[in-house]
Amino acid sequence: MRYIKLPSENFEKFFNSLKAWGSIYAPVKRGSIYSFQEVQRAEEVALDYNRTMLPPKKFFVRPRDEILRLKNGRWENGTDAEPIVLFGLHSCDIHGLKILDKVYLDEPVDPYYKARREKTFIVGISCMPDEYCFCKSLGTHFAMDGFDLFLHELPDGWLVRIGSVRGHEIVWENGELFEEVTDEDLKHFKEFEERRANAFQKEIPQEGLADMLDLAYNSPVWKEYAEICLACGNCNMVCPTCRCYEVCDKWISAYDAVRERRYDSCFMENHGLVAGGHNFRPTRLDRFRHRYYCKSYFDPSSGYNCVGCGRCDEFCPAKIEHVKVLEEVRGSLR
Amino acid sequence: MMDKLKLAVFELTDCGGCALNILFLYEKLFDLLEFYEITEFHMATSLSEGSHYDVALVTGTVSSQRDLALLKEARNHSDYLIALGTCATHGSVQASVEGSIREKLKRVYGDEGNPMRALDSKPVVEYVAVDFALPGCPYDKNEVYQVLIDIAKGIEPVKKDYPVCVECKLNEYECVLVKKGLPCLGPITYGGCNAACIRSGLGCIGCRGPLPGEVNPASEYEILKDLGYDDDYIIRKFKTFARWEP
Ligand code: SF4
Ligand code: SF4
Ligand code: SF4
Ligand code: SF4
């Protein structure tokens, strides 16, 4: 992987050069949350954000997406895919997209996801964990791929890792903005990473998690938490790896309709409902437990479906903490 | 061209908003008129040629003997009956006033008795079986539009199965409960309003009534208590639009 340096004074020029690729979307502050929004100027970007409420998934699988349109009795493809730049993704979210890739790009390929993914230029950015982050213990705190460029904060600029051919091209076209990396820069980079590694306040002991969950299906801890869980689905809606959606048709006039897909949550009644009226997960207990198994268990060989971003904790009205639940479940086995 | 379906709108005791809301579909009403003829709707037609309706919309609560008779008439003469609006589905504000009808009449009218033959206000669903219940004070007019076109096309309309929080997140509104400590009933309230109140920075007041099933009012209550709201306030908030009988 090639490393180069972007001095602070060239940051804005570099930012503007990305517009050649497409519209730029970056984290901005809205009230007390952050959200990926279209930005025109570099100063609008909240470079030191911790996490957005909705993850960058929303650009590939949209919260609500008109996938087909019924016009004059025929269904037409309804979605579009414009080239965009996603600026400022954290490592956990890049890992989140890699997990979604496995779902949406494996056969059968989701054409909407694929088209948008291919047209999106991804710029990662380094971060400092807050009290919710636990990506380090899941190994998702550093991205080796899944981005075009990755910016690491230095005292006087950015160390840039180039992660793709497209990334190389952008750097090549704007060669005058970059410098060679010095030993001093590398030292600062390492110092930053060390400071960061020591700043994590939460970790999930991944060791034996799958075996543990194997034995823990009937743990009383699930029941205790199902008593306080609201079954509101907020944890699913904000999760970068949740991939469930619902498809519904909507009339826009007497004879024309759109087919829309929208995020779904396994806390909802219809999620486990099958033909004949049987429901696989009729109770809150079933649904609460299911979410944990989906995140940490079903296919450990391909990695966990949780990247430790902390969104589910930050936005749970009942203040249920992901790591704490799993630790208590583990504890109940002893 | 197939015969149009006969549509009726009946209004029991309510503010009138839910019946009027149908007219607020404006030009979209013409889409409905492609499939329906309105044979009974005191706000839109002088026709009243009862006997049989394919679809009947009933708004309001049963609050008098007249309401009850009208509701029975609507039920007996319609194939598909929709309880429309929170009055009809949950009782709304008037049904949430506690105490017996006798005491209430006495407080207002003294010893005059019960000349208008009032009943304790109750939602439509407590008296008759309905084919579909669409809450909201008022309901989202686009929802009734979808339901009526579905029925006209022979599609069974789908009941929403999620609370307000889901649409709140789909719109990426800042969560006022988690971030501002506002008393938001979104986690336990029947979704479908597209989180209109949260869009304005307000907490959900529960106007669509409780989402049935696995939601957890007891936990919502504890969360609001932890935020410093007192018992009385929370209970009144819970009971504004529906009599919670958990
Ligand atoms: S389960 Fe929670 S911490 Fe894990 S990826 Fe999803 S939102 Fe983030
Ligand atoms: S089953 Fe639940 S936890 Fe798993 S991806 Fe779907 S919504 Fe998320
Ligand atoms: S956000 Fe919290 S309360 Fe809501 S469903 Fe998830 S765990 Fe339960
Ligand atoms: S603001 Fe209210 S409706 Fe929206 S997510 Fe928060 S609790 Fe749910």
Side-chain angles (χ1 to χ4, degrees):
Chain A
M1 186 170 295
R2 200 178 149 210
Y3 290 53
I4 42 161
K5 182 180 180 182
L6 175 67
S8 299
E9 61 271 22
N10 291 347
F11 180 78
E12 202 173 327
K13 274 203 189 120
F14 162 70
F15 181 87
N16 288 329
S17 74
L18 294 170
K19 291 179 186 161
W21 180 275
S23 313
I24 304 180
Y25 292 81
V28 297
K29 191 153 194 176
R30 283 209 314 206
S32 60
I33 61 162
Y34 293 96
S35 165
F36 281 101
Q37 295 293 330
E38 188 172 353
V39 290
Q40 304 300 336
R41 287 167 300 126
E43 70 213 49
E44 294 170 56
V45 183
L47 291 172
D48 61 347
Y49 81 110
N50 40 35
R51 66 183 63 69
T52 53
M53 188 167 78
L54 289 190
K57 171 178 81 177
K58 74 175 185 180
F59 293 98
F60 309 105
V61 191
R62 295 179 185 156
R64 288 190 176 103
D65 200 0
E66 289 179 4
I67 53 175
L68 295 170
R69 287 175 166 271
L70 178 66
K71 255 195 191 141
N72 304 321
R74 296 167 64 105
W75 286 101
E76 296 171 0
N77 204 334
T79 55
D80 49 68
E82 298 291 324
I84 60 167
V85 176
L86 277 189
F87 187 92
L89 263 66
H90 288 165
S91 155
C92 59
D93 280 346
I94 290 173
H95 280 275
L97 288 176
K98 287 170 62 178
I99 290 172
L100 289 186
D101 285 351
K102 280 190 223 145
V103 180
Y104 284 95
L105 297 181
D106 247 6
E107 289 300 324
V109 172
D110 183 281
Y112 313 108
Y113 184 91
K114 182 161 184 274
R116 292 169 187 161
R117 197 78 168 91
E118 282 169 356
K119 287 192 172 169
T120 303
F121 189 89
I122 290 182
V123 183
I125 200 166
S126 58
C127 49
M128 270 295 159
D130 67 3
E131 70 270 31
Y132 297 110
C133 301
F134 58 98
C135 58
K136 183 166 160 257
S137 53
L138 290 168
T140 51
H141 61 307
F142 202 83
M144 294 302 288
D145 57 5
F147 56 85
D148 297 291
L149 296 173
F150 202 109
L151 310 185
H152 292 271
E153 190 182 325
L154 295 175
D156 57 349
W158 305 86
L159 182 134
V160 183
R161 287 188 294 139
I162 304 175
S164 72
V165 174
R166 304 190 306 195
H168 267 292
E169 282 167 5
I170 292 267
V171 168
W172 178 256
E173 283 158 22
N174 299 282
E176 74 285 359
L177 299 179
F178 298 97
E179 294 171 0
E180 288 305 316
V181 173
T182 63
D183 286 346
E184 173 95 349
D185 295 330
L186 284 176
K187 197 179 110 223
H188 285 137
F189 169 59
K190 279 189 194 130
E191 277 167 12
F192 182 96
E193 284 305 311
E194 254 166 52
R195 220 173 343 119
R196 176 167 177 252
N198 292 326
F200 283 93
Q201 301 164 39
K202 218 176 228 182
E203 58 170 11
I204 182 166
Q206 216 186 341
E207 191 72 24
L209 194 56
D211 293 336
M212 183 278 276
L213 285 172
D214 229 355
L215 301 170
Y217 191 78
N218 291 316
S219 163
V221 173
W222 301 124
K223 199 156 177 283
E224 283 163 33
Y225 275 102
E227 298 274 314
I228 58 169
C229 168
L230 297 153
C232 62
N234 275 309
C235 46
N236 295 134
M237 304 307 282
V238 299
C239 180
T241 70
C242 273
R243 70 292 303 272
C244 291
Y245 58 76
E246 176 75 312
V247 177
C248 21
D249 292 346
K250 279 191 181 164
W251 300 103
I252 48 174
S253 70
Y255 304 104
D256 297 337
V258 292
R259 179 158 296 172
E260 182 184 275
R261 74 174 173 190
R262 62 158 172 81
Y263 294 175
D264 199 3
S265 151
C266 52
F267 277 100
M268 303 309 142
E269 183 86 37
N270 294 350
H271 195 279
L273 190 68
V274 292
H278 176 68
N279 199 319
F280 281 107
R281 291 180 292 279
T283 67
R284 205 160 61 230
L285 169 64
D286 297 316
R287 296 175 198 172
F288 184 84
R289 178 171 50 201
H290 172 79
R291 179 173 162 272
Y292 282 83
Y293 277 76
C294 180
K295 291 296 157 208
S296 309
Y297 180 78
F298 290 142
D299 190 6
S301 64
S302 66
Y304 293 95
N305 285 326
C306 168
V307 294
C309 71
R311 285 185 177 87
C312 53
D313 287 12
E314 183 175 347
F315 293 101
C316 173
K319 296 197 168 71
I320 295 174
E321 297 175 42
H322 196 87
V323 171
K324 195 157 164 250
V325 172
L326 286 170
E327 280 307 282
E328 284 178 22
V329 168
R330 194 193 290 265
S332 72
L333 291 177
R334 291 202 183 106
Chain B
M1 173 90 210
M2 131 198 128
D3 278 349
K4 290 197 176 174
L5 298 168
K6 292 191 191 318
L7 178 72
V9 181
F10 295 99
E11 192 179 353
L12 313 181
T13 298
D14 60 7
C15 72
C18 281
L20 194 60
N21 206 22
I22 297 169
L23 299 180
F24 286 163
L25 279 167
Y26 301 122
E27 71 278 5
K28 289 195 146 201
L29 267 177
F30 293 107
D31 292 336
L32 296 180
L33 295 176
E34 286 281 307
F35 310 108
Y36 291 96
E37 58 178 319
I38 299 176
T39 50
E40 164 75 48
F41 186 2
H42 71 102
M43 284 187 187
T45 175
S46 51
L47 284 179
S48 189
E49 49 185 41
S51 83
H52 172 258
Y53 313 103
D54 293 293
V55 180
L57 304 171
V58 183
T59 73
T61 54
V62 177
S63 299
S64 67
Q65 291 290 353
R66 171 253 173 205
D67 289 341
L68 189 55
L70 189 58
L71 175 61
K72 285 184 175 160
E73 159 99 8
R75 178 68 280 187
N76 289 339
H77 295 280
S78 55
D79 289 344
Y80 199 100
L81 187 132
I82 300 175
L84 187 60
T86 302
C87 287
T89 60
H90 294 86
S92 203
V93 180
Q94 67 264 40
S96 72
V97 181
E98 280 170 356
S100 77
I101 185 66
R102 268 173 196 286
E103 287 165 27
K104 287 185 235 175
L105 281 166
K106 202 168 161 66
R107 238 182 293 152
V108 179
Y109 298 105
D111 292 323
E112 294 295 311
N114 189 355
M116 67 291 277
R117 302 207 293 150
L119 297 169
D120 201 10
S121 293
K122 280 185 183 157
V124 161
V125 297
E126 281 197 27
Y127 283 101
V128 298
V130 302
D131 298 288
F132 199 82
L134 208 177
C137 185
Y139 57 90
D140 182 326
K141 62 191 176 184
N142 188 46
E143 269 195 287
V144 81
Y145 177 82
Q146 298 298 333
V147 167
L148 287 176
I149 300 190
D150 275 346
I151 295 169
K153 308 235 181 195
I155 301 164
E156 183 63 25
V158 179
K159 266 196 315 192
K160 302 241 161 35
D161 69 337
Y162 53 79
V164 174
C165 289
V166 165
E167 287 175 328
C168 189
K169 281 290 179 294
L170 292 177
N171 288 303
E172 211 175 355
Y173 297 144
E174 177 183 15
C175 177
V176 298
L177 177 63
V178 166
K179 292 296 174 186
K180 294 190 183 157
L182 294 184
C184 182
L185 297 189
I188 55 172
T189 299
Y190 201 102
C193 56
N194 208 10
C197 291
I198 297 91
R199 180 177 55 229
S200 311
L202 304 169
C204 165
I205 56 174
C207 85
R208 295 172 59 88
L211 177 70
E214 294 301 296
V215 289
N216 192 343
S219 176
E220 172 87 21
Y221 176 88
E222 293 301 328
I223 289 167
L224 296 182
K225 274 204 83 163
D226 279 352
L227 285 172
Y229 298 99
D230 68 43
D231 269 354
D232 194 43
Y233 176 85
I234 303 171
I235 289 171
R236 271 191 288 129
K237 195 140 196 98
F238 271 39
K239 289 189 168 177
T240 310
F241 292 95
R243 284 187 190 172
W244 283 86
E245 322 252 24

